[in-house]
Amino acid sequence: MSEKNSFRLPANRKPGHRFNWVGRIGLAIILFWAVVAVAGPWLTPYPVGKIVDWDYFSPMSSAFWMGTDYLGRDIFSRVLMGARYTVGISLAAVTLACTGGIIFGMVAAVIGGWFDIILSRLLDAFNGIPSLLFGLVVVAAVGSSIPVLVLTLAVVYLPGSYRFARALAVNINTMDFVTVARARGERTPYLILREILPNILGPVLADLGLRFVFIVLVLSGLSFLGLGVQPPNADWGALVRENIEGLSLGAPAVIFPSIAIATLTISVNMFIDNLPSKIRDRSE
């Protein structure tokens, strides 16, 4: 083989850095729903709370692409706007949960001692509470609003993120390069930001994606029970709850929100499961 042909693969096209086709499909669906969540108000053909058809649970037509709901409102418009609440609330909650969990986990691993013991036992107590039950109690006691939903979901999933990040950070903290940095007199912020975080970034990003899926499902469950986003606004779980009576009729009003939830959660799983090995196994 000639020297010219032995260097065909560019450095940025190494197999370990490439997504396979399943991961690309998952990423495309995620980006689609992200665009819908941002541009939803400009894409809806009808106001989300306006009754536009006197026939409830009407079938799909040229005027109503996804039919109408139990009040005669356009389901296509409500699914588009529901993406803003489902994706937005879930993204905000998972960002808070994983950011707090990763920071606390790395700090506990580096400092150790009583700080690690007390923080771990405190967060373990939250892990013993079922997430949906905790959400039901908090939302029922405080009231349902978007800030309450975001904070509740973040608190529910922060302990799990903490345990995952701490387990990774404890292993990295025993490595020789961390010991050398500590011997040089480097302080805790340096050890966390420069030595530990870059070496756990890939796995914690994968964990963030999985927790996003769990939060979407818990939010949908709360909304299905009437404790999520309140009328006239609705996320996808609330749309399913509102139109559940149309299930026996095969109404599109209950089918399309369910498909939206399924496509978002499955696509995130497809994306996370097929991350390039260099990202999934170790961040470089």
Side-chain angles (χ1 to χ4, degrees), residues 263-280:
T263 55
L264 178 62
T265 55
I266 292 173
S267 64
V268 172
N269 278 322
M270 290 168 59
F271 177 68
I272 295 301
D273 289 344
N274 293 278
L275 282 173
S277 59
K278 294 295 184 181
I279 299 176
R280 183 180 64 248

Side-chain angles (χ1 to χ4, degrees), residues 11 25 33 68 92 125-126 148 157 169 180 189 191 193 200 216 222 225 239 282:
I25 292 174
W33 283 122
T68 59
F126 282 97
V148 169
Y157 284 97
V180 171
L191 296 176
L193 297 176
I200 68 171
V216 168
L222 290 173
L225 296 173
L239 292 179
R282 184 178 185 271

Side-chain angles (χ1 to χ4, degrees), residues 119-142:
L119 185 59
S120 297
R121 298 296 80 77
L122 179 64
L123 294 179
D124 283 345
F126 282 97
N127 260 340
I129 304 174
S131 56
L132 185 58
L133 178 61
F134 180 81
L136 286 172
V137 172
V138 173
V139 174
V142 179

Side-chain angles (χ1 to χ4, degrees), residues 1-10:
M1 181 181 294
S2 66
E3 183 179 355
K4 181 179 178 180
N5 292 333
S6 63
F7 295 96
R8 287 182 176 178
L9 189 63

